[in-house]
Amino acid sequence: MTDATTPDSLSLRMFGPMRVLRGGAALEIPASRKTRAILGFLALTGRPTSRQRLCDLFFDRPDDPRAALRWSLAKIRLLVDAPGRPRLVAERDSVRIDLSSADLDVATVLALAARPPEAASDSERRAALALIAGDLLEDCELPDRPDYAAWLASQRQDMHAIALRLARTQAERASGEQRIVDLHRVLALDPLDEAAAASLARALVAAGRRDDAHAIVAATERAFLTAGLQAGPALRMSLRSGRTAAPPPVAAQPPSAPPSPAALDDGRVSVAVMPFLNHSKEAISDDLMDGLLEATVHMLSKFRDIRVAGVAKALQFKGAVRDPAAMGEALGVGLLIGGSVMVRDGAMKLRYRLVSAQDGALITSGDIEHAGADTFALLEDGPARLTVVLAKRLIDFARAAAIAAPAERRNAWQHYYAAVAEGFAASPAKYELALQHLNRALDAAPAFARAVGAAAWSKACLGYADRPADRQEALMQAHRAIRLGGDDAETLAVAGWAAVHVAGDFDAALRAAEQAVRANPLSRVAWSTAGWIRTMAGETETPLHDFDRAEACAADETHLDNVDGGRAFAYWLARRYDDAERAANRSIERLPGHVGAHAVAMASALAKRDLRAARDAGERFLRVFPDGVDTAALASIPLRDAESKRLLLHAVGEACAAARA
């Protein structure tokens, strides 16, 4: 960063309308939107870009793109160069802008975002939020240049993710009226942040502004409905005052006939969440206990692998001691979840147990502790943590039952589970076998969205992208799964990832990824897959958030989705090479055969000019992939940006050459 008062100092402002200042004085910006876009692209990428790449991004071939590029670069040179300090470095085959002695607002924000939250001060976060107030490269949009438009969209998404993370950190650390202001900022950035809306509503109620709290809750519920989703019960519970509020209403349900055998045996695991026992009634009100039950049922029902009995049915057994078999029969389920809540020494403990409705046998049990005695916070935290633990156990239960069933008697869900267990989860994966199971599932239920999406992914892994007719077949199947997926987070995520792999269809995949994490914010698969899709699309900040969320959902399982490999790519694209190298090495330790992690390890070492590390990484890569840069799996890495893909493969080639020398 330079002193803005010196005559040759340069400051670039990329948020809002573009501004360039030299010595503190604003310069006239080029009238050509395309020239402004090229300046923004070069400033933000920060690395040499080939002239051919710039021509492909910004110009049509019939328009003599090289001449048009030279004209734009001449205009940019007038802005950024100073006497004795040329900053536009235009070589024979590449172009870059040297901003090492300039002040770039985006660089300031990215540097802050790369630091741990506790390392930044309140004033630094607020200053960064003030910078991000405007759109990145406003009035530099080029909708007729799809590759540039995609790049700009990914950059804006990254900035939005940083702003949201900073705003949430500010809200967590603020109190009183300032907390209300900061929570409003969070909701302005993400109207579907249910936790922030609930926190804001509680803060408004505490401040005596109940009408404002009701307005926030109503607006958030409308936003969820507009997105085709349903807000959870914690949002409405935030309007209640704890001890004096009336119990939550239970929707009246008409009497229903006993479940049919088919409904009880559709291949999914069936479960009922029973009312939790309250061992600390003086600290936790009855309506909050009912809210705990309602929230748990709501969150568990978002896992479409699981069939959950409704709250109204479970409340019939509140305070009752009944035989598990009788309760299971009455509720039409095979498993029961029960538990208790108590407050002790200023902390709350939620104890749960999962039992068989057939014989009452205990399948699993455990504790979830919540620091502090904030019952509303327990209502947000407890059900989510409980749901993540139980969902994994319940789905494992269903998969084991499917494998145990005779193949000729399996239904659609059981064939799907067999594909997961015997195909995808095998080591090495057996995609052909998985596809066979999935085709049987689709024979039994042609519109079974989960199987449609998984079949598309199987075909992507089997090389369908290499043959035009097969590629089109797999892509159409991926699109069909997205249409059928509705609110099934795993279907949407897997189908979106398949669309990227078979045809580079990032537009459909990004929409599916966003819908997936909204549909089930507790799905490890949804968050990790969304992170991979966004990383391959060129985003760097949002994927890191997604991978963190995946790890929070199931820290012991994220190696299955290789979140460290995804982090490595995101860090490398963001030019955070130390972080990229560390993440790549962690990924390789868990998954030695992950070609992408090897590639990033080599590319990061070379970017740091650490030739010994690059050679060592190349030797390690060649032990697993003796074909080196000609390894087929390298070519299938679906990076959207062709220049990034070229740089990655070039680095692999250099590292392998050094290793063989």
Side-chain angles (χ1 to χ4, degrees):
M1 186 179 295
T2 60
D3 182 353
T5 61
T6 60
D8 63 346
S9 65
L10 182 70
S11 296
L12 284 81
R13 298 291 173 256
M14 298 292 169
F15 292 106
M18 182 182 289
R19 291 184 300 143
V20 179
L21 300 94
R22 184 180 294 136
L27 303 181
E28 184 177 352
I29 299 297
S32 165
R33 178 178 291 204
K34 191 165 290 188
T35 300
R36 297 196 302 270
I38 295 172
L39 170 57
F41 179 83
L42 291 172
L44 267 63
T45 53
R47 56 163 62 121
T49 303
S50 69
R51 289 177 180 268
Q52 186 58 53
R53 172 65 172 155
L54 291 172
C55 289
D56 291 342
L57 273 175
F58 293 102
F59 302 100
D60 292 321
R61 289 191 181 276
D63 296 336
D64 192 0
R66 293 242 170 196
L69 177 62
R70 286 194 297 272
W71 184 88
S72 290
L73 293 178
K75 297 293 183 182
I76 293 171
R77 189 184 300 279
L78 294 174
L79 286 175
V80 301
D81 283 3
R85 183 172 288 179
R87 292 189 174 94
L88 182 66
V89 183
E91 299 173 339
R92 179 179 178 84
D93 295 320
S94 66
V95 180
R96 66 183 175 90
I97 296 181
D98 179 6
L99 296 178
S100 58
S101 61
D103 174 22
L104 176 64
D105 54 359
V106 176
T108 301
V109 171
L110 290 174
L112 179 66
R115 294 160 59 186
E118 62 274 8
S121 68
D122 180 84
S123 60
E124 287 177 316
R125 284 190 296 271
R126 293 197 183 280
L129 284 167
L131 284 177
I132 311 175
D135 282 340
L136 182 67
L137 296 181
E138 184 179 312
D139 200 29
C140 293
E141 298 88 352
L142 300 173
D144 61 330
R145 308 306 304 164
D147 288 345
Y148 167 75
W151 172 84
L152 180 57
S154 70
Q155 297 298 310
R156 286 179 171 176
Q157 179 65 24
D158 278 344
M159 292 304 113
H160 182 270
I162 291 173
L164 190 54
R165 177 151 49 88
L166 294 175
R168 284 172 174 155
T169 301
Q170 288 298 97
E172 289 168 3
R173 301 185 178 206
S175 60
E177 187 61 31
Q178 185 59 54
R179 177 171 168 78
I180 291 175
V181 171
D182 289 336
L183 285 169
H184 271 296
R185 189 203 297 266
V186 173
L187 280 182
L189 290 165
D190 184 3
L192 296 178
D193 189 333
E194 187 176 353
S199 296
L200 177 55
R202 288 200 300 273
L204 290 168
V205 169
R209 297 163 58 183
R210 186 171 288 275
D211 288 346
D212 290 344
H214 278 274
I216 288 295
V217 170
T220 305
E221 289 178 335
R222 285 196 300 273
F224 269 80
L225 287 173
T226 301
L229 303 170
Q230 180 184 2
L235 190 59
R236 279 280 155 190
M237 291 292 293
S238 65
L239 297 173
R240 299 171 185 166
S241 57
R243 295 171 180 262
T244 60
V250 177
Q253 297 186 2
S256 58
S260 67
L264 291 175
D265 188 28
D266 66 356
R268 295 179 296 164
V269 65
S270 56
V271 66
V273 184
M274 310 308 295
F276 291 87
L277 298 176
N278 186 358
H279 292 316
S280 301
K281 293 189 176 182
E282 72 287 351
I284 308 174
S285 62
D286 285 343
D287 65 301
L288 282 177
M289 289 299 300
D290 289 345
L292 184 67
L293 170 67
E294 189 178 353
T296 303
V297 170
H298 171 76
M299 293 178 183
L300 201 57
S301 69
K302 290 181 177 292
F303 289 86
R304 295 311 185 193
D305 307 59
I306 303 168
R307 187 165 57 81
V308 189
V311 174
K313 288 186 175 182
L315 283 173
Q316 299 173 22
F317 296 95
K318 186 175 183 179
V321 178
R322 296 279 292 275
D323 176 65
M327 288 193 291
E329 184 178 359
L331 295 169
V333 298
L335 299 169
L336 301 170
I337 298 169
S340 61
V341 181
M342 69 176 69
V343 176
R344 180 179 295 171
D345 299 328
M348 284 178 284
K349 178 181 287 188
L350 192 160
R351 176 162 293 167
Y352 65 86
R353 58 186 179 275
L354 175 65
V355 302
S356 167
Q358 183 176 357
D359 55 11
L362 180 65
I363 296 172
T364 189
S365 64
D367 295 326
I368 291 175
E369 294 199 20
H370 178 83
D374 183 345
T375 53
F376 282 111
L378 171 69
L379 189 63
E380 293 178 359
D381 178 63
R385 292 171 59 192
L386 175 63
T387 296
V388 166
V389 171
L390 290 173
K392 178 185 183 302
R393 194 59 186 260
L394 291 167
I395 293 169
D396 286 346
F397 190 92
R399 289 176 183 171
I403 295 301
E408 67 277 5
R409 296 178 58 186
R410 289 176 186 154
N411 57 32
W413 270 101
Q414 290 170 325
H415 284 304
Y416 165 77
Y417 285 137
V420 173
E422 297 180 348
F424 297 132
S427 184
K430 300 175 181 177
Y431 296 112
E432 190 66 55
L433 178 59
L435 187 56
Q436 291 172 17
H437 285 304
L438 293 167
N439 285 335
R440 294 188 190 104
L442 293 172
D443 287 341
F448 182 19
R450 184 72 69 90
V452 175
W457 171 238
S458 299
K459 292 172 181 177
C461 297
L462 288 169
Y464 276 46
D466 299 332
R467 301 179 294 275
D470 290 341
R471 179 170 62 247
Q472 186 63 20
E473 173 193 323
L475 179 61
M476 291 179 65
Q477 197 163 31
H479 283 182
R480 183 166 184 259
I482 293 171
R483 290 195 303 272
L484 292 171
D487 57 358
D488 184 348
E490 189 160 326
T491 293
L492 294 166
V494 171
W497 191 223
V500 165
H501 266 273
V502 298
D505 188 353
F506 282 96
D507 292 337
L510 288 166
R511 289 193 299 271
E514 183 66 25
Q515 189 177 348
V517 297
R518 295 296 190 191
N520 186 0
L522 298 179
S523 169
R524 182 203 85 237
V525 172
W527 283 112
S528 61
T529 308
W532 273 102
I533 291 171
R534 288 167 171 159
T535 301
M536 294 296 106
E539 298 175 26
T540 57
E541 287 295 328
T542 311
L544 293 173
H545 166 268
D546 292 349
F547 293 132
D548 288 346
R549 289 292 298 266
E551 209 154 48
C553 289
D556 62 335
E557 282 202 312
T558 44
H559 68 283
L560 300 175
D561 312 306
N562 196 11
V563 298
D564 279 324
R567 286 188 179 110
F569 270 103
Y571 286 136
W572 178 73
L573 289 169
R575 302 189 296 282
R576 294 169 58 179
Y577 300 121
D578 287 330
D579 291 330
E581 193 171 25
R582 283 191 291 269
N585 288 332
R586 287 197 305 269
S587 172
I588 294 168
E589 287 174 9
R590 300 294 295 270
L591 296 168
H594 191 268
V595 69
H598 282 281
V600 172
M602 291 180 276
S604 299
L606 283 171
K608 297 190 304 175
R609 304 187 188 283
D610 188 341
L611 300 184
R612 170 178 283 185
R615 186 190 64 226
D616 291 346
E619 290 176 352
R620 180 177 57 182
F621 174 67
L622 289 170
R623 285 195 294 270
V624 184
F625 301 99
D627 290 339
V629 74
D630 296 322
T631 299
L634 278 173
S636 68
I637 295 174
L639 278 167
R640 185 178 203 172
D641 180 61
E643 183 68 9
S644 296
K645 182 71 170 285
R646 186 192 67 79
L647 289 170
L648 187 72
L649 295 180
H650 179 72
V652 172
E654 285 197 5
C656 288
R660 286 171 169 152

